[in-house]
């Protein structure tokens, strides 16, 4: 995906708990930087949409499990809609005119700027009224990674929108990766293929510039490793689910240097978002009794932190939606450009 959306390599934040180290790449016989994993960023919950920021973005990811209602969409976006852009990444979207439903839910505050779809995998970017005048350029792309997850219209892969908005180049990617705890390496490979493939046709253009910010949001499908369902559920029941973060495959694989170098994620304070009994907030009671997991994530990367400051104001699950076996996840970022 060119030089601005790579999963490995590139600029980014460094974990506060580590200093940059050097390892020896024997094949080249020269030092190369080791991987620092995903930086955890604490949300401050302070944004009041003031003029202190140049751009405020609300981002939502949700695996819909083939179901939707207007009421769910209203709940999804909340009541405080002072953000400039709303980015909605959806997986397992039902056979309905979802664009129309989304526009109806946002009609009073926002208008549709861009859409990227690949069957049941869909991405929407909304802006405030008349914000289309701030859009200088927009591109869309998609990349399938085979199969439909064993069920019709449950497409795996990614769709993306690159948008130049108010002079900032923003890239949003929503994805749905392979399921099951055992398929860690397959998910890692899919991340890399998606990253290298999206917008690759523009890579040789000398006028192509890196994105100021790149965001991945979706059902990445990484699970908990090394813990069974009952001990995991016991910790969740006791509100000790933060202890499960050390078992999270996504964080483990990033720490190993496999994926998402230089990316940030809000500190996970919410409960695992999968798998719920539909219609309730109870975890899976089917015969499979799946281990709960944070399958649904939002990650972001700043190309040059010296030029743009990013504040994370929330990173949360939307627990009052019951129509899917996943809970939606929502994040709110505000950007300030250094003049």
């Amino acid at each position: 995906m060119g030089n601005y959306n790579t999963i490995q390599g590139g600029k980014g934040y460094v974990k506060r708990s580590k200093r940059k180290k050097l390892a020896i790449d024997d094949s080249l016989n020269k030092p190369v930087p080791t991987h620092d994993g995903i930086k955890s960023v604490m949300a401050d919950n302070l944004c009041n949409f003031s003029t202190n920021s140049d751009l405020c973005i609300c981002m939502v990811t949700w695996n819909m499990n083939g179901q939707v209602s207007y009421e769910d969409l209203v709940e999804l976006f909340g009541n405080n809609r002072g953000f400039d852009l709303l980015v909605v990444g959806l997986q397992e979207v039902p056979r309905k005119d979802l664009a129309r439903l989304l526009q109806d839910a946002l009609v009073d505050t926002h208008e549709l700027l861009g859409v990227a779809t690949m069957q049941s995998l869909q991405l929407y970017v909304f802006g405030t009224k008349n914000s289309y005048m701030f859009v200088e350029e927009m591109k869309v792309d998609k990349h399938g990674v085979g199969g439909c997850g064993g069920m019709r219209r449950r497409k795996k892969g990614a769709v993306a929108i690159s948008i130049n908005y108010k002079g900032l180049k923003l890239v949003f990617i929503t994805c749905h990766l392979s399921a099951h705890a055992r398929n860690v390496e397959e998910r890692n490979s899919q991340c890399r293929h998606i990253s290298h493939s999206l917008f690759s046709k523009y890579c040789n253009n000398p006028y192509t510039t890196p994105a100021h910010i790149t965001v991945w949001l979706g059902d990445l499908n990484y699970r908990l490793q090394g813990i069974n369902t009952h001990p995991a559920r016991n910790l969740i029941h006791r509100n000790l689910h933060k202890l499960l973060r050390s078992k999270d495959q996504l964080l483990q694989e990033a720490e190993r240097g496999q994926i998402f170098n230089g990316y940030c994620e809000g500190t996970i304070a919410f409960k695992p978002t999968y798998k719920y009994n539909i219609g309730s907030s109870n975890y899976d009671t089917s015969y499979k009794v799946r281990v709960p997991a944070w399958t649904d994530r939002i990650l972001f990367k700043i190309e040059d932190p010296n030029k743009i400051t990013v504040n994370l104001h929330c990173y949360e699950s939307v627990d009052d939606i019951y129509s899917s076996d996943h809970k939606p996840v929502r994040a709110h970022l505000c950007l300030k450009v250094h003049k």
Side-chain angles (χ1 to χ4, degrees), residues 75-207:
E75 181 70 28
L76 192 64
F77 305 135
N79 296 320
N80 192 355
R81 300 183 183 179
F83 38 80
D84 301 293
L85 294 178
L86 170 64
V87 182
V88 187
L90 301 170
Q91 310 85 43
E92 297 188 18
V93 173
R95 289 180 178 273
K96 293 186 178 181
D97 186 356
L98 195 66
R100 176 53 56 192
L101 287 174
L102 290 168
Q103 289 177 88
D104 288 345
L106 294 162
V107 66
D108 294 332
T109 57
H110 290 74
E111 61 187 7
L112 184 62
L113 297 179
V115 182
T117 65
M118 183 171 62
Q119 297 182 27
S120 61
L121 188 57
Q122 302 184 9
L123 177 65
Y124 300 86
V125 175
F126 290 86
T128 52
K129 297 291 187 179
N130 298 317
S131 58
Y132 64 87
M133 66 181 65
F134 300 120
V135 179
E136 299 173 23
E137 183 182 42
M138 186 181 301
K139 300 184 181 76
V140 300
D141 206 356
K142 61 185 178 182
H143 180 74
V145 292
C148 293
M151 192 170 293
R152 192 178 181 187
R153 285 185 58 80
R154 296 195 175 184
K155 183 68 176 176
K156 296 298 195 291
V159 294
I161 295 176
S162 173
I163 180 172
N164 193 321
Y165 186 84
K166 291 186 176 181
L168 292 171
K169 188 170 184 178
L170 317 168
V171 173
F172 302 105
I173 303 163
T174 193
C175 66
H176 193 187
L177 305 182
S178 291
H180 308 303
R182 64 181 180 273
N183 290 329
V184 178
E185 293 299 333
E186 185 174 338
R187 285 189 284 276
N188 291 348
S189 177
Q190 290 171 350
C191 281
R192 291 189 288 267
H193 282 131
I194 290 167
S195 177
H196 295 151
S197 298
L198 289 176
F199 304 115
S200 59
K201 58 189 173 185
Y202 303 106
C203 289
N204 295 325
N205 185 341
Y207 301 104

Side-chain angles (χ1 to χ4, degrees), residues 40 52 136 149 162 205 212 258 270:
S40 179
N52 293 331
E136 299 173 23
S162 173
N205 185 341
H212 292 98
Q258 300 300 303
F270 50 87

